[in-house]
Amino acid sequence: MYNFTLFKLTLCLLTGILLEFYFKIPKAYLFALAIILLPLFLFSFFRARKQLLQDPFFGIISLMIFLFLGIFSTALKLPENQQKHYSHYLSESTSDNPIMLTAEVNEVLKTSAFQHRYVLRAFKLNNENVDGKILLNVTKDSLNGLFKSGDQLLIASPFTKINSPSNPYQFNYRSYMENLGVYHQINITHQNILKLKNENYSPRSYAGIYRSRLIKKLNKYHFKQDEMAIIQALLLGERQELSPQLNRSYIYAGAIHILAISGLHIGILLLLLTYLFKPIEVLPYGKVIKTVVLLLFLWGFALLTGLSPSVVRAVSMFSFIAIGMQLGRKTNLLNTLVASIFILLLINPYFILQPGFQLSYAAVFSIAIFQPAIKRLYQPKLKGLRYLWSLINVSLAAQIGVLPLSLYYFHQFPALFLLTNLVVLPFLGVLLAFGIVILILASLSALPEFLAIYYGQLISLLNHFISWVASKETFVFQDIHFSARMCISFYIFLLSIIPILKKRSFRNLAWILLAVIGIQLSFIFEKSFVNSQESIVFQKSKMTILGIRERNELNLYHNSSKHISQETFIKSYKTALNIKRTKEDTLKNIYNLSGKTLFIIDSSSIYNVPKLHPDIVLLSNSPKLNLERVLARLRPKLIIADGSNFKTYIAKWKQTAENEKIPFHATAEKGGFIIDSANEVFQNN
């Protein structure tokens, strides 16, 4: 039976976590709240013990205690409340002066086009013992190898804030990293990093060394490049070797989830291990021994793959499920999932902000809730059909849970996901089981050549199938507009379906109808409350791009010979605002935008136009001019310098504008500028 009390307590904990993350409740208020709640809780607890009937006062106070627990546990994790967090030792000159940092590689991230990226755990900062995570960006260098999890590094470099997005609605990498607890970055070359000899090896260090040795041994068997990349991703959590083409194919086929070790892999591994160790149950205390063995194997696998956050989350979740499966009692999967969420969020509240955490639990919750109902829709008699139908209903149930989040975060939907899962899911179990055998034999230098060849052929077969599915791009729906408001309304709708799955009644049907109305209202809100007009100067290096939006149509003005409507930042802008049509035209010098005159001074440096007094001057393509004379002649209220200008020119213009007390906006520094927000700039100056 489902424990609704556990759900309510977890919901209060979750609410408290979100309140602290988004509102940063002052310490004085937390202290006052603790002084009030603790005596109330003790009073209500002893009062409830003396009463025969259930006491609602005790229930309310208990919920408030767990709300406070969420707030308090989150406050403890915030950098400003951690005495040894490295950020307390940084000054305003951090971005200019090198700082001596000793740190351990905590996680190896996917490489970008020009940099290798790592998450570091800080140990010392200028001889001060510190803690905290830092993003390390190392310029790619063919002469130097990659670092691995557990490596200890000595770095002398300035710290900088992680870059904010250059244009509205672009992917906010800064916010993404902050949700992982990473607030600063270091940009450096290999020549400025000293790899230290580990004196105190951590478990992560040992795992990193062992993983590197495994990869070296596997390389002796001459796997193809794409085969080796999939083996490392699938079995060792190393995705750095995936080519952009292969990664894109898995995304378009709706199979990218199998390349990131997560709940799917751990769930399959748990089923395999449960079956493998079933004979242990005949021993005295067999189920207890089996549970311990299962947990040791799951956490050993997590350690082998580097203890990345996604793996730790997945193994933690399935550890609870493994314990529940082996208790020998009737346990509800939903209770187990809620309990695991409660413990994980109590340990690390940052998990709730991470898409991987949200998607993993959305998938498993959806399978637990909707899969039995979907399964009842069809009852095949043949064994083969029953197996095929079980794959279909599990895939559909999981997709129901993750679809709103997938549309919100990724704005695309691979329509052939069901075909992909029908082939990949059973294939994945074989690959994992066979792969673990391959790893064990390779580590013992006892892997027969024919087994390595056969396993490589299986991987190639998988890659060919994925590439074939991905080639059907007609079935990949991209750039789907789906806001947070729409995402929430769809999850409310899914929640409203749950009661009617248990009992059909008019009341339960009414909840569904109300949720449908909520979805409709969210769509109406999206159309009605988004500004119908907007003008923006986009940030793009070496280019001037002016965008003018009229409802769901975007006009782009520029002087480039290329079509720019497919640039990533333009596509993000269009998707976020549900823009259906785009036109491109040559850039003019004068525009009337939302009642404000924009005058563009380009490389021709022509600005002496009779009777022209623009509100905004846009400097483009590094015009050679005396800005003081321009300001005296045109008397603008705002100066904008876009990404087409030389940095040295922008620095001089900025100083001149400050001397003249005229607002200055450099898009390369502050990002794209929305013309309609200029009124706020004028009022503040």
Side-chain angles (χ1 to χ4, degrees):
M1 182 172 290
Y2 182 58
N3 190 333
F4 192 62
T5 300
L6 180 62
F7 172 78
K8 288 189 290 185
L9 296 178
T10 304
L11 185 61
C12 286
L13 180 80
L14 173 59
T15 303
I17 289 171
L18 294 176
L19 282 173
E20 179 61 20
F21 270 127
Y22 289 107
F23 296 102
K24 300 286 183 7
I25 300 172
K27 293 180 184 178
Y29 290 176
L30 289 179
F31 184 69
L33 196 59
I35 291 175
I36 295 171
L37 283 178
L38 186 58
L40 282 175
F41 176 74
L42 293 173
F43 170 74
S44 64
F45 175 74
F46 288 110
R47 179 172 174 265
R49 289 182 62 185
K50 297 177 180 179
Q51 291 186 340
L52 180 63
L53 300 176
Q54 189 176 8
D55 185 5
F57 179 67
F58 174 69
I60 293 170
I61 295 299
S62 298
L63 294 178
M64 292 182 67
I65 284 289
F66 278 85
L67 180 73
F68 173 77
L69 187 61
I71 295 172
F72 184 72
S73 64
T74 306
L76 291 178
K77 293 290 184 179
L78 295 176
E80 54 265 36
N81 297 325
Q82 293 184 2
Q83 187 177 359
K84 285 296 182 180
H85 196 271
Y86 70 85
S87 58
H88 297 308
Y89 299 87
L90 303 180
S91 63
E92 293 184 1
S93 60
T94 297
S95 59
D96 301 319
N97 300 321
I99 294 176
M100 195 67 69
L101 171 71
T102 306
E104 181 182 273
V105 177
N106 192 69
E107 186 179 358
V108 181
L109 302 177
K110 197 172 185 301
T111 60
S112 63
F114 304 105
Q115 293 175 318
H116 299 297
R117 298 186 295 185
Y118 310 87
V119 174
L120 304 180
R121 171 74 69 178
F123 288 153
K124 284 190 176 182
L125 198 70
N126 291 340
N127 295 320
E128 292 283 350
N129 292 326
V130 296
D131 191 19
K133 294 180 181 179
I134 302 160
L135 175 64
L136 174 65
N137 301 309
V138 184
T139 304
K140 285 187 176 179
D141 181 355
S142 59
L143 300 178
N144 293 281
L146 296 170
F147 300 116
K148 59 184 181 295
S149 292
D151 283 347
Q152 292 186 8
L153 309 176
L154 180 64
I155 302 168
S157 173
F159 282 40
T160 60
K161 283 283 190 180
I162 299 172
N163 297 331
S164 297
S166 299
N167 291 293
Y169 307 110
Q170 268 187 288
F171 173 64
N172 194 331
Y173 191 64
R174 178 175 181 173
S175 176
Y176 172 78
M177 293 306 296
E178 287 180 352
N179 290 343
L180 296 175
V182 183
Y183 293 88
H184 288 84
Q185 66 178 355
I186 295 173
N187 296 298
I188 203 170
T189 61
H190 271 279
Q191 287 72 24
N192 299 106
I193 301 175
L194 177 63
K195 184 178 174 182
L196 301 175
K197 183 178 180 180
N198 286 14
E199 296 180 357
N200 298 313
Y201 284 95
S202 66
R204 185 177 276 109
S205 301
Y206 281 112
I209 293 169
Y210 183 67
R211 196 162 55 250
S212 297
R213 290 176 181 172
L214 265 180
I215 292 171
K216 285 181 181 179
K217 290 187 176 183
L218 288 171
N219 282 327
K220 294 178 181 178
Y221 293 91
H222 307 294
F223 290 106
K224 295 177 183 178
Q225 184 177 353
D226 282 349
E227 292 173 359
M228 193 62 189
I230 296 298
I231 290 171
Q232 289 182 226
L234 195 63
L235 302 174
L236 300 173
E238 300 272 358
R239 300 178 61 188
Q240 292 73 38
E241 300 302 320
L242 289 171
S243 66
Q245 295 81 5
L246 189 62
N247 194 64
R248 177 177 175 274
S249 293
Y250 274 81
I251 292 173
Y252 279 21
I256 192 64
H257 55 285
I258 76 169
L259 297 184
I261 295 177
S262 58
L264 175 63
H265 302 71
I266 305 303
I268 292 174
L269 184 61
L270 176 60
L271 291 176
L272 292 173
L273 292 173
T274 301
Y275 178 77
L276 181 64
F277 296 124
K278 190 171 181 62
I280 296 178
E281 294 182 8
V282 301
L283 299 173
Y285 304 103
K287 288 203 171 185
V288 175
I289 297 171
K290 182 182 176 183
T291 302
V292 173
V293 171
L294 287 175
L295 294 179
L296 287 174
F297 268 86
L298 289 180
W299 283 102
F301 183 71
L303 182 60
L304 176 64
T305 56
L307 290 174
S308 67
S310 61
V311 176
V312 170
R313 289 194 307 262
V315 172
S316 299
M317 177 172 66
F318 279 94
S319 293
F320 279 89
I321 294 174
I323 294 170
M325 288 169 58
Q326 306 306 319
L327 281 176
R329 304 172 186 172
K330 289 186 177 180
T331 182
N332 189 298
L333 177 59
L334 292 175
N335 291 339
T336 305
L337 291 174
V338 173
S340 67
I341 288 179
F342 184 90
I343 299 298
L344 283 175
L345 292 182
L346 203 57
I347 295 171
N348 187 354
Y350 279 95
F351 280 157
I352 194 58
L353 302 177
Q354 298 167 14
F357 180 89
Q358 298 167 12
L359 288 166
S360 293
Y361 272 99
V364 180
F365 266 108
S366 188
I367 291 172
I369 294 169
F370 296 109
Q371 189 264 346
I374 298 173
K375 186 178 180 180
R376 289 194 296 268
L377 295 176
Y378 176 53
Q379 299 290 336
K381 296 181 180 180
L382 296 176
K383 186 176 181 180
L385 283 177
R386 285 201 301 271
Y387 176 72
L388 183 64
W389 175 237
S390 67
L391 289 176
I392 291 174
N393 58 56
V394 168
S395 297
L396 286 175
Q399 192 64 42
I400 288 171
V402 303
L403 182 59
L405 278 173
S406 297
L407 292 178
Y408 172 63
Y409 284 120
F410 311 118
H411 301 288
Q412 66 178 27
F413 175 66
L416 295 178
F417 78 93
L418 191 56
L419 172 63
T420 302
N421 285 340
L422 287 177
V423 175
V424 168
L425 287 183
F427 203 50
L428 183 60
V430 174
L431 287 176
L432 280 175
F434 197 175
I436 291 171
V437 174
I438 293 288
L439 290 181
I440 293 172
L441 292 176
S443 66
L444 299 173
S445 300
L447 177 61
E449 188 73 31
F450 76 92
L451 278 182
I453 293 173
Y454 183 56
Y455 192 65
Q457 289 174 344
L458 285 178
I459 296 290
S460 288
L461 188 62
L462 173 66
N463 287 342
H464 287 312
F465 172 74
I466 293 296
S467 297
W468 176 77
V469 175
S471 67
K472 314 301 179 185
E473 295 190 17
T474 307
F475 295 95
V476 181
F477 302 100
Q478 296 179 292
D479 305 324
I480 301 172
H481 171 70
F482 205 78
S483 67
R485 189 179 298 107
M486 296 164 68
C487 182
I488 292 170
S489 67
F490 268 89
Y491 275 115
I492 292 173
F493 170 70
L494 292 179
L495 289 173
S496 73
I497 296 175
I498 297 174
I500 209 167
L501 295 178
K502 295 183 177 181
K503 182 181 178 182
R504 295 182 181 181
S505 67
F506 176 78
R507 180 182 178 183
N508 291 340
L509 179 62
W511 285 119
I512 296 177
L513 295 176
L514 286 173
V516 171
I517 293 172
I519 292 176
Q520 293 174 330
L521 290 175
S522 71
F523 277 96
I524 294 171
F525 188 92
E526 289 294 317
K527 290 184 177 181
S528 303
F529 288 85
V530 174
N531 291 332
S532 59
Q533 295 182 337
E534 186 174 77
S535 307
I536 178 172
V537 178
F538 288 102
Q539 160 58 22
K540 173 69 175 175
S541 180
K542 301 179 181 179
M543 288 185 67
T544 296
I545 304 173
L546 176 65
I548 301 176
R549 180 175 64 86
E550 294 281 347
R551 294 191 179 277
N552 60 357
E553 181 176 310
L554 178 64
N555 294 292
L556 295 169
Y557 299 93
H558 60 91
N559 286 329
S560 174
S561 58
K562 300 184 297 184
H563 289 289
I564 64 167
S565 58
Q566 294 305 307
E567 291 278 352
T568 304
F569 66 94
I570 297 292
K571 291 174 69 175
S572 298
Y573 182 83
K574 290 163 57 180
T575 301
L577 295 175
N578 200 24
I579 293 171
K580 303 297 185 183
R581 294 180 297 278
T582 308
K583 295 180 182 178
E584 298 186 37
D585 203 350
T586 305
L587 193 68
K588 308 295 191 299
N589 287 97
I590 300 178
Y591 292 89
N592 189 352
L593 305 172
S594 303
K596 291 177 279 291
T597 304
L598 172 70
F599 180 49
I600 301 175
I601 304 178
D602 55 25
S603 57
S604 65
S605 302
I606 298 174
Y607 65 89
N608 195 1
V609 180
K611 299 182 180 180
L612 178 64
H613 298 290
D615 298 290
I616 304 169
V617 168
L618 172 60
L619 301 172
S620 168
N621 291 310
S622 304
K624 297 179 180 179
L625 47 75
N626 186 318
L627 189 57
E628 290 182 355
R629 294 178 184 174
V630 173
L631 297 179
R633 171 67 185 81
L634 299 178
R635 300 194 298 277
K637 299 177 182 177
L638 173 66
I639 303 291
I640 302 174
D642 64 21
S644 66
N645 298 288
F646 297 136
K647 291 183 179 179
T648 52
Y649 283 32
I650 294 174
K652 292 179 181 178
W653 294 335
K654 182 178 180 180
Q655 186 60 52
T656 301
E658 288 178 356
N659 294 339
E660 297 293 328
K661 297 182 179 180
I662 293 179
F664 183 87
H665 184 99
T667 60
E669 178 185 344
K670 300 179 180 179
F673 185 83
I674 298 175
I675 303 293
D676 306 75
S677 65
N679 287 333
E680 297 178 12
V681 177
F682 299 159
Q683 291 171 4
N684 293 332
N685 291 273

